[in-house]
Short mmCIF file of all heavy atoms in Angstrom, two decimals:
data_model
loop_
_atom_site.label_atom_id
_atom_site.label_comp_id
_atom_site.label_asym_id
_atom_site.label_seq_id
_atom_site.Cartn_x
_atom_site.Cartn_y
_atom_site.Cartn_z
N ASN A 152 103.37 111.09 83.39
CA ASN A 152 103.22 109.73 82.84
C ASN A 152 103.33 108.68 83.94
O ASN A 152 102.69 107.62 83.86
CB ASN A 152 104.27 109.47 81.77
CG ASN A 152 104.08 110.34 80.54
OD1 ASN A 152 103.02 110.92 80.34
ND2 ASN A 152 105.11 110.43 79.72
N ASN A 153 104.13 108.97 84.96
CA ASN A 153 104.32 108.02 86.06
C ASN A 153 103.27 108.19 87.16
O ASN A 153 103.32 107.49 88.18
CB ASN A 153 105.71 108.20 86.67
CG ASN A 153 106.81 107.67 85.77
OD1 ASN A 153 106.53 107.03 84.75
ND2 ASN A 153 108.06 107.91 86.13
N GLY A 154 102.36 109.12 86.98
CA GLY A 154 101.31 109.33 87.98
C GLY A 154 101.74 110.14 89.17
O GLY A 154 101.00 110.25 90.15
N VAL A 155 102.91 110.75 89.11
CA VAL A 155 103.43 111.55 90.23
C VAL A 155 102.73 112.92 90.27
O VAL A 155 102.38 113.41 91.33
CB VAL A 155 104.95 111.73 90.11
CG1 VAL A 155 105.48 112.64 91.21
CG2 VAL A 155 105.65 110.37 90.17
N PHE A 156 102.57 113.53 89.10
CA PHE A 156 101.88 114.82 88.98
C PHE A 156 100.64 114.64 88.09
O PHE A 156 100.59 113.75 87.25
CB PHE A 156 102.78 115.88 88.34
CG PHE A 156 104.03 116.20 89.09
CD1 PHE A 156 105.16 116.68 88.42
CD2 PHE A 156 104.12 116.05 90.47
CE1 PHE A 156 106.33 116.99 89.10
CE2 PHE A 156 105.29 116.35 91.16
CZ PHE A 156 106.39 116.82 90.47
N GLN A 157 99.66 115.51 88.30
CA GLN A 157 98.50 115.57 87.43
C GLN A 157 98.43 116.98 86.84
O GLN A 157 97.94 117.91 87.47
CB GLN A 157 97.21 115.24 88.21
CG GLN A 157 97.12 113.79 88.64
CD GLN A 157 95.83 113.47 89.37
OE1 GLN A 157 94.99 114.33 89.58
NE2 GLN A 157 95.67 112.21 89.76
N LEU A 158 98.94 117.12 85.63
CA LEU A 158 99.00 118.41 84.96
C LEU A 158 98.55 118.28 83.52
O LEU A 158 98.80 117.26 82.88
CB LEU A 158 100.44 118.95 84.98
CG LEU A 158 101.09 119.22 86.35
CD1 LEU A 158 102.58 119.49 86.18
CD2 LEU A 158 100.41 120.40 87.03
N THR A 159 97.88 119.32 83.02
CA THR A 159 97.52 119.35 81.62
C THR A 159 98.74 119.77 80.80
O THR A 159 99.76 120.21 81.36
CB THR A 159 96.39 120.37 81.37
OG1 THR A 159 96.88 121.69 81.66
CG2 THR A 159 95.17 120.06 82.24
N GLU A 160 98.64 119.64 79.50
CA GLU A 160 99.74 120.05 78.63
C GLU A 160 100.05 121.54 78.80
O GLU A 160 101.22 121.94 78.84
CB GLU A 160 99.38 119.76 77.18
CG GLU A 160 100.49 120.11 76.19
CD GLU A 160 100.13 119.78 74.76
OE1 GLU A 160 99.14 119.06 74.55
OE2 GLU A 160 100.84 120.26 73.85
N GLU A 161 99.02 122.36 78.92
CA GLU A 161 99.21 123.80 79.10
C GLU A 161 99.90 124.10 80.43
O GLU A 161 100.76 124.99 80.51
CB GLU A 161 97.86 124.54 79.05
CG GLU A 161 97.20 124.57 77.69
CD GLU A 161 96.52 123.25 77.32
OE1 GLU A 161 96.38 122.39 78.20
OE2 GLU A 161 96.16 123.10 76.13
N GLU A 162 99.54 123.37 81.46
CA GLU A 162 100.14 123.57 82.78
C GLU A 162 101.60 123.12 82.79
O GLU A 162 102.46 123.76 83.42
CB GLU A 162 99.34 122.82 83.84
CG GLU A 162 97.99 123.47 84.11
CD GLU A 162 97.04 122.56 84.88
OE1 GLU A 162 97.26 121.33 84.90
OE2 GLU A 162 96.09 123.09 85.47
N ILE A 163 101.90 122.05 82.10
CA ILE A 163 103.28 121.58 81.99
C ILE A 163 104.14 122.66 81.36
O ILE A 163 105.23 122.98 81.86
CB ILE A 163 103.36 120.28 81.17
CG1 ILE A 163 102.80 119.11 81.98
CG2 ILE A 163 104.80 119.99 80.74
CD1 ILE A 163 102.65 117.83 81.19
N LYS A 164 103.65 123.25 80.28
CA LYS A 164 104.41 124.30 79.59
C LYS A 164 104.63 125.50 80.49
O LYS A 164 105.74 126.07 80.53
CB LYS A 164 103.68 124.71 78.30
CG LYS A 164 103.70 123.65 77.21
CD LYS A 164 103.00 124.12 75.96
CE LYS A 164 103.00 123.06 74.87
NZ LYS A 164 104.36 122.66 74.46
N LEU A 165 103.60 125.90 81.22
CA LEU A 165 103.73 127.07 82.08
C LEU A 165 104.67 126.81 83.25
O LEU A 165 105.52 127.66 83.58
CB LEU A 165 102.35 127.50 82.59
CG LEU A 165 102.33 128.80 83.41
CD1 LEU A 165 102.92 129.96 82.60
CD2 LEU A 165 100.92 129.14 83.86
N PHE A 166 104.56 125.65 83.89
CA PHE A 166 105.46 125.32 84.99
C PHE A 166 106.91 125.24 84.50
O PHE A 166 107.84 125.64 85.20
CB PHE A 166 105.05 124.00 85.66
CG PHE A 166 104.06 124.17 86.77
CD1 PHE A 166 102.79 123.63 86.68
CD2 PHE A 166 104.41 124.86 87.93
CE1 PHE A 166 101.86 123.79 87.71
CE2 PHE A 166 103.50 125.02 88.97
CZ PHE A 166 102.21 124.49 88.86
N ALA A 167 107.12 124.73 83.30
CA ALA A 167 108.47 124.65 82.74
C ALA A 167 109.06 126.05 82.57
O ALA A 167 110.23 126.29 82.91
CB ALA A 167 108.45 123.92 81.39
N HIS A 168 108.25 126.99 82.07
CA HIS A 168 108.71 128.37 81.95
C HIS A 168 108.96 128.99 83.33
O HIS A 168 109.91 129.76 83.51
CB HIS A 168 107.70 129.21 81.17
CG HIS A 168 107.80 129.05 79.68
ND1 HIS A 168 108.77 129.69 78.93
CD2 HIS A 168 107.07 128.31 78.80
CE1 HIS A 168 108.63 129.37 77.66
NE2 HIS A 168 107.61 128.53 77.55
N ASP A 169 108.10 128.67 84.29
CA ASP A 169 108.29 129.17 85.65
C ASP A 169 109.65 128.75 86.21
O ASP A 169 110.39 129.58 86.77
CB ASP A 169 107.19 128.62 86.58
CG ASP A 169 105.85 129.31 86.38
OD1 ASP A 169 105.82 130.39 85.74
OD2 ASP A 169 104.83 128.76 86.85
N ILE A 170 109.96 127.49 86.07
CA ILE A 170 111.24 126.97 86.57
C ILE A 170 112.40 127.68 85.89
O ILE A 170 113.36 128.10 86.54
CB ILE A 170 111.34 125.45 86.34
CG1 ILE A 170 110.27 124.72 87.17
CG2 ILE A 170 112.73 124.94 86.71
CD1 ILE A 170 110.05 123.27 86.74
N PHE A 171 112.29 127.82 84.58
CA PHE A 171 113.36 128.46 83.81
C PHE A 171 113.60 129.89 84.30
O PHE A 171 114.74 130.30 84.53
CB PHE A 171 113.00 128.45 82.33
CG PHE A 171 114.08 128.97 81.44
CD1 PHE A 171 115.14 128.16 81.07
CD2 PHE A 171 114.04 130.27 80.95
CE1 PHE A 171 116.15 128.63 80.25
CE2 PHE A 171 115.05 130.75 80.13
CZ PHE A 171 116.11 129.93 79.78
N VAL A 172 112.53 130.65 84.47
CA VAL A 172 112.64 132.05 84.88
C VAL A 172 113.12 132.16 86.33
O VAL A 172 113.91 133.05 86.66
CB VAL A 172 111.30 132.78 84.69
CG1 VAL A 172 111.35 134.18 85.30
CG2 VAL A 172 110.96 132.87 83.21
N LEU A 173 112.67 131.28 87.20
CA LEU A 173 113.10 131.33 88.60
C LEU A 173 114.61 131.11 88.72
O LEU A 173 115.27 131.70 89.57
CB LEU A 173 112.34 130.28 89.42
CG LEU A 173 110.87 130.58 89.68
CD1 LEU A 173 110.20 129.38 90.32
CD2 LEU A 173 110.70 131.82 90.54
N GLY A 174 115.14 130.25 87.86
CA GLY A 174 116.60 130.06 87.86
C GLY A 174 117.30 131.32 87.39
O GLY A 174 118.27 131.77 87.99
N GLN A 175 116.79 131.92 86.31
CA GLN A 175 117.39 133.15 85.79
C GLN A 175 117.30 134.29 86.81
O GLN A 175 118.18 135.15 86.87
CB GLN A 175 116.67 133.57 84.50
CG GLN A 175 116.57 132.53 83.42
CD GLN A 175 117.88 132.26 82.73
OE1 GLN A 175 118.76 133.08 82.73
NE2 GLN A 175 118.01 131.09 82.14
N MET A 176 116.25 134.28 87.60
CA MET A 176 116.06 135.35 88.58
C MET A 176 117.21 135.41 89.59
O MET A 176 117.54 136.48 90.10
CB MET A 176 114.72 135.18 89.31
CG MET A 176 114.34 136.36 90.19
SD MET A 176 112.62 136.26 90.76
CE MET A 176 112.78 135.02 92.06
N TRP A 177 117.80 134.27 89.86
CA TRP A 177 118.95 134.26 90.78
C TRP A 177 120.09 135.10 90.23
O TRP A 177 120.85 135.70 91.00
CB TRP A 177 119.40 132.83 91.02
CG TRP A 177 120.55 132.72 91.99
CD1 TRP A 177 121.84 132.38 91.71
CD2 TRP A 177 120.50 132.95 93.40
NE1 TRP A 177 122.61 132.40 92.85
CE2 TRP A 177 121.82 132.74 93.91
CE3 TRP A 177 119.50 133.32 94.30
CZ2 TRP A 177 122.13 132.88 95.26
CZ3 TRP A 177 119.81 133.47 95.65
CH2 TRP A 177 121.11 133.25 96.11
N ALA A 178 120.20 135.18 88.92
CA ALA A 178 121.22 136.05 88.30
C ALA A 178 120.73 137.50 88.22
O ALA A 178 121.46 138.43 88.56
CB ALA A 178 121.57 135.54 86.90
N PHE A 179 119.47 137.70 87.79
CA PHE A 179 118.94 139.06 87.60
C PHE A 179 118.85 139.83 88.92
O PHE A 179 119.15 141.02 88.97
CB PHE A 179 117.54 139.04 87.00
CG PHE A 179 117.44 138.36 85.68
CD1 PHE A 179 116.26 137.75 85.29
CD2 PHE A 179 118.51 138.32 84.81
CE1 PHE A 179 116.15 137.13 84.06
CE2 PHE A 179 118.41 137.70 83.59
CZ PHE A 179 117.23 137.09 83.21
N ARG A 180 118.38 139.14 89.94
CA ARG A 180 118.06 139.80 91.21
C ARG A 180 119.05 139.43 92.31
O ARG A 180 118.74 139.55 93.50
CB ARG A 180 116.64 139.41 91.63
CG ARG A 180 115.55 139.79 90.66
CD ARG A 180 115.23 141.26 90.73
NE ARG A 180 114.75 141.64 92.05
CZ ARG A 180 114.52 142.91 92.42
NH1 ARG A 180 114.77 143.88 91.57
NH2 ARG A 180 114.07 143.18 93.62
N ARG A 181 120.23 139.03 91.95
CA ARG A 181 121.18 138.55 92.95
C ARG A 181 121.53 139.62 93.97
O ARG A 181 121.80 139.31 95.14
CB ARG A 181 122.43 138.02 92.26
CG ARG A 181 123.18 139.06 91.44
CD ARG A 181 124.32 138.42 90.68
NE ARG A 181 125.04 139.39 89.86
CZ ARG A 181 126.03 139.10 89.05
NH1 ARG A 181 126.42 137.84 88.94
NH2 ARG A 181 126.63 140.02 88.34
N TRP A 182 121.56 140.89 93.54
CA TRP A 182 121.91 141.98 94.45
C TRP A 182 120.94 142.03 95.63
O TRP A 182 121.31 142.43 96.73
CB TRP A 182 121.89 143.31 93.69
CG TRP A 182 120.56 143.66 93.11
CD1 TRP A 182 120.09 143.30 91.88
CD2 TRP A 182 119.52 144.40 93.73
NE1 TRP A 182 118.81 143.79 91.70
CE2 TRP A 182 118.43 144.47 92.81
CE3 TRP A 182 119.38 145.03 94.96
CZ2 TRP A 182 117.24 145.14 93.10
CZ3 TRP A 182 118.20 145.69 95.25
CH2 TRP A 182 117.14 145.74 94.33
N ALA A 183 119.69 141.63 95.41
CA ALA A 183 118.69 141.62 96.48
C ALA A 183 118.56 140.25 97.12
O ALA A 183 118.50 140.12 98.35
CB ALA A 183 117.34 142.07 95.93
N LEU A 184 118.51 139.20 96.30
CA LEU A 184 118.26 137.86 96.82
C LEU A 184 119.37 137.36 97.73
O LEU A 184 119.10 136.67 98.73
CB LEU A 184 118.06 136.88 95.65
CG LEU A 184 116.78 137.09 94.83
CD1 LEU A 184 116.78 136.21 93.60
CD2 LEU A 184 115.55 136.81 95.68
N LYS A 185 120.62 137.70 97.41
CA LYS A 185 121.74 137.20 98.22
C LYS A 185 121.79 137.84 99.61
O LYS A 185 122.49 137.35 100.50
CB LYS A 185 123.06 137.40 97.48
CG LYS A 185 123.21 136.44 96.32
CD LYS A 185 124.60 136.46 95.72
CE LYS A 185 124.74 135.38 94.66
NZ LYS A 185 126.09 135.32 94.08
N ARG A 186 121.05 138.93 99.78
CA ARG A 186 120.94 139.53 101.11
C ARG A 186 119.95 138.76 101.98
O ARG A 186 119.96 138.87 103.20
CB ARG A 186 120.47 140.98 101.00
CG ARG A 186 121.42 141.91 100.27
CD ARG A 186 120.80 143.28 100.13
NE ARG A 186 121.63 144.16 99.31
CZ ARG A 186 121.27 145.38 98.94
NH1 ARG A 186 120.09 145.86 99.32
NH2 ARG A 186 122.07 146.12 98.19
N LEU A 187 119.09 138.01 101.32
CA LEU A 187 118.00 137.32 102.01
C LEU A 187 118.22 135.81 102.15
O LEU A 187 117.80 135.22 103.14
CB LEU A 187 116.69 137.55 101.26
CG LEU A 187 116.26 139.02 101.08
CD1 LEU A 187 115.06 139.11 100.14
CD2 LEU A 187 115.92 139.63 102.43
#
Side-chain angles (χ1 to χ4, degrees):
N152 294 344
N153 287 352
V155 176
F156 299 153
Q157 291 181 359
L158 299 169
T159 65
E160 182 179 346
E161 291 77 11
E162 288 166 341
I163 287 172
K164 290 181 181 300
L165 185 57
F166 271 116
H168 279 281
D169 285 345
I170 295 165
F171 185 80
V172 172
L173 288 172
Q175 306 287 338
M176 189 168 76
W177 182 250
F179 301 152
R180 300 284 299 173
R181 61 186 179 183
W182 61 272
L184 292 172
K185 287 190 174 182
R186 297 176 186 174
L187 302 171

